[in-house]
């Protein structure tokens, strides 16, 4: 897997956030995860299993950004991370993985997705336990940061 | 899916912790998740995908219990949750899912596992975004609590 592989996830994430929340995120350069840590307040995680590969995807939001996405989608801002925000982050994670699955499937890279899990907790961080390279991509906005991390192993 | 379905995960978890860390956990009654929340400091999560089903498993530890498991396995106690503990929780999650997969496979319930993801952060909690029933099982020990949660949907 090379860094180009993250592009379908990147495109899918930008597309989902733009479509659902009319919000523009600015992606930074994707990189092999070494020092950069995805640290945030709410994360959606999803497992992926294909005939030849398996892996995991996480999308981590800072609280203020997650609440802003929620506000733009539903018209009212939650005061804090609640169950509605949790469900939304799970749905976004599902849609991002689904969008990437479609693009990658057309390129002959097949996988199925598990159901998403959402973790909420101030300033948590995430480790993908995977023998393949871990790719991380930070996204910036005036409302806070988000991170996508993916890892596939054969 | 009924509550009995959690038994292979329960047995597998008790077996892994007992074998690897010579530690006895006391399981409480498994229940459909309604009010009980799995809240802890480090969690291993893994996605599961089968021909007819998909789902997710999480194992959440309070910090002191995770450190005690680490101490019993390696002979020295970490002062806090570090990368070694994170890797250990990922490995335990993989082994528990693998053990349950073996038992359930013999009963004709097949699934493959994604790679695990570990989340660390004080007092985080977890939501399985899944249309099926969410089963939760608390475990007690003098070193702290652990929780298993599973959910499968068709």
């Amino acid at each position: 897997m090379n860094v180009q592989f993250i592009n379908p996830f990147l495109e899918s994430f930008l597309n989902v956030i733009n479509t659902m929340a009319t919000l523009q995120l600015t992606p930074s350069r994707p990189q092999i995860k070494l020092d950069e840590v995805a640290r945030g307040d709410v994360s959606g995680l999803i497992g992926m299993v294909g005939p030849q590969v398996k892996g995991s995807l996480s999308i981590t939001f800072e609280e203020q950004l997650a609440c802003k996405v929620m506000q733009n989608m539903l018209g009212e801002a939650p005061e804090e991370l609640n169950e509605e925000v949790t469900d939304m982050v799970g749905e976004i994670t599902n849609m991002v993985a689904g969008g990437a699955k479609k693009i990658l499937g057309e390129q002959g890279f097949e996988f199925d997705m598990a159901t998403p899990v959402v973790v909420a907790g101030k300033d948590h961080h995430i480790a993908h336990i995977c023998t393949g390279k871990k790719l991380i991509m930070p996204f910036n906005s005036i409302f806070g940061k988000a991170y996508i991390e993916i890892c596939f192993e054969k």
Side-chain angles (χ1 to χ4, degrees), chain A residues 33 36-45 58-63 66 81 86 89 117-128 136 145-147 149:
Chain A
K33 188 177 182 181
E36 180 102 44
V37 172
R39 198 174 276 277
D41 306 312
V42 58
S43 293
L45 304 115
S58 63
I59 306 179
T60 298
F61 294 88
E62 290 180 347
E63 179 172 353
L81 297 178
T86 300
V89 170
V117 179
V118 177
V119 177
K122 201 71 196 160
D123 204 28
H124 65 260
H125 59 94
I126 284 177
H128 292 255
I136 183 169
K145 287 185 181 177
Y147 297 88
E149 287 186 83

Side-chain angles (χ1 to χ4, degrees), chain A residues 6 12 25 27 35 60 66 75 93-94 101 103 119 138-140 154:
Chain A
I6 204 175
S12 185
L25 300 177
D35 296 329
T60 298
T93 306
N94 217 12
K101 170 183 160 68
I103 298 170
V119 177
F139 294 82
N140 292 296
K154 295 197 174 174

Side-chain angles (χ1 to χ4, degrees), chain A residues 23-56:
Chain A
L23 208 67
Q24 284 289 350
L25 300 177
T26 308
S28 300
R29 190 180 171 77
Q31 48 193 289
I32 307 293
K33 188 177 182 181
L34 293 173
D35 296 329
E36 180 102 44
V37 172
R39 198 174 276 277
D41 306 312
V42 58
S43 293
L45 304 115
I46 200 162
M48 300 173 286
V49 181
Q52 282 93 32
V53 294
K54 54 185 182 169
S56 52

Side-chain angles (χ1 to χ4, degrees), chain A residues 86-108:
Chain A
T86 300
D87 285 348
M88 176 202 75
V89 170
E91 185 55 35
I92 287 173
T93 306
N94 217 12
M95 291 173 74
V96 171
K101 170 183 160 68
K102 188 163 179 294
I103 298 170
L104 287 166
E106 288 164 1
Q107 298 169 14

